[in-house]
Amino acid sequence: MAIATLDSVIVYPINSRLWCSYTRHLYPLNQVSVSKKCQIKCSTWKRCEYIDLHNVLVPYGEAWDLQKAVVTEKKGLIERNEKCCDTLIVLQHPPVYTLGTGSSKEYLNFNVKDSPYDVIRTERGGEVTYHGPGQLVMYPIVNLRNHNMDLHWYLRALEEVVIRVLFSTFSIEASRLEGFTGVWFGNKKLAAIGIRVSQWIAYHGLALNVSMDLTPFNQIVPCGIRDREVGSIEQVLREFQASRHGLSTDKLSASNSLLIDIAHKSLIREFSEVFQLEIEQVSLPANNEEVEVTSHDSFAS
């Protein structure tokens, strides 16, 4: 079992692999040497518009409205036989519990009328989960006609993105768990996945626990699984280093925002590679410019 130390993550936040779609956007072209092979690869990849809100807190309802607006736009493009590229949104949410379409309230350990946070029933699959600061939520709005019209393939591809992020950037050897959707490290679920597909356009997506407060999960049965735990990248690194080097809590807390940035960059890179998409950052659609966002810094632990 390989795990990076926090010191190694801070010093070497991203491994040495260079994906052209990622570096082309991140750095000025004159500062990046991209191989001819990489240029050819990128030229065959499809375009994906990227809305970057990873360092702000977006209320769940606002993010849901944004997704639905993008889905409606894509359906219109398909009906008119026009080109329909994919869209990726990455953000964080203020504290909220969400339930899937068929979720049971028996998995809530509190009275809904006296909930510690908002409870929202959504149209995604899966059971109840919690979103909060320190968790990166990735909403790919993917036209599966451009990839593979197979929902099992799509779920496994999303899991693959997270598994690659955890191993390539944090040296955490995570895996799938037979019979369940998501990504696990031992007994702990580090990433949850819930999707909705309409006319072969997939939306909703995955939530990766990076450096969040995990105690709100105690108020629910996460994903309806009673005999498993929920974990985070920060928790795994904390436990490993505390057992090896006696790491202080202050040092880890100070690094939370850095872990978010590192995990975000790795998510974009691995998503680009797994789905063979060239990522192009764009602004919010004109009709969503008033999406309410709050700086994550004010919620930092």
Side-chain angles (χ1 to χ4, degrees), residues 41-246:
K41 180 170 68 172
C42 279
S43 68
T44 65
W45 288 6
K46 296 179 175 65
R47 174 173 171 268
C48 177
E49 296 178 341
Y50 173 45
I51 299 173
D52 181 11
L53 299 170
H54 84 276
N55 60 352
V56 294
L57 299 180
V58 182
Y60 191 88
E62 300 282 353
W64 193 3
D65 287 343
L66 174 57
Q67 288 186 80
K68 289 186 286 188
V70 175
V71 169
T72 298
E73 179 184 13
K74 293 188 186 305
K75 287 181 179 179
L77 291 171
I78 292 171
E79 289 174 0
R80 297 190 298 271
N81 292 318
E82 297 180 21
K83 188 174 182 180
C84 177
C85 70
D86 298 330
T87 299
L88 175 64
I89 305 167
V90 179
L91 48 74
Q92 297 178 57
H93 287 306
V96 62
Y97 291 114
T98 66
L99 298 93
T101 304
S103 293
S104 172
K105 291 183 180 179
E106 70 178 88
Y107 295 128
L108 303 179
N109 299 328
F110 55 82
N111 188 325
V112 176
K113 296 181 180 179
D114 190 29
S115 171
Y117 305 115
D118 288 343
V119 179
I120 300 176
R121 185 173 291 278
T122 77
E123 57 193 351
R124 63 164 173 78
E127 287 291 344
V128 62
T129 193
Y130 166 76
H131 300 298
Q135 179 192 70
L136 284 175
V137 183
M138 173 180 278
Y139 291 127
I141 305 173
V142 173
N143 180 8
L144 291 176
R145 295 172 182 83
N146 295 334
H147 300 276
N148 192 337
M149 294 166 69
D150 181 329
L151 301 190
H152 293 288
W153 170 86
Y154 182 60
L155 290 171
R156 302 295 81 78
L158 291 178
E159 291 169 346
E160 181 67 18
V161 170
V162 176
I163 289 170
R164 290 188 183 197
V165 166
L166 294 173
F167 183 73
S168 68
T169 301
F170 300 101
S171 296
I172 297 174
E173 294 183 343
S175 62
R176 299 173 178 86
L177 190 63
E178 186 175 357
F180 297 96
T181 298
V183 177
W184 306 75
F185 178 72
N187 194 47
K188 297 181 179 181
K189 191 172 190 177
L190 303 186
I193 296 173
I195 65 169
R196 170 82 174 184
V197 178
S198 177
Q199 298 178 29
W200 290 111
I201 297 176
Y203 58 114
H204 291 281
L206 67 86
L208 174 60
N209 303 333
V210 181
S211 57
M212 67 188 305
D213 176 11
L214 298 174
T215 56
F217 284 103
N218 296 334
Q219 298 298 314
I220 61 174
V221 180
C223 304
I225 305 172
R226 296 187 181 276
D227 59 346
R228 303 281 175 174
E229 301 177 16
V230 175
S232 69
I233 293 173
E234 183 264 347
Q235 181 191 54
V236 172
L237 296 176
R238 176 194 294 271
E239 291 176 353
F240 181 78
Q241 284 203 317
S243 66
R244 296 295 190 276
H245 309 293

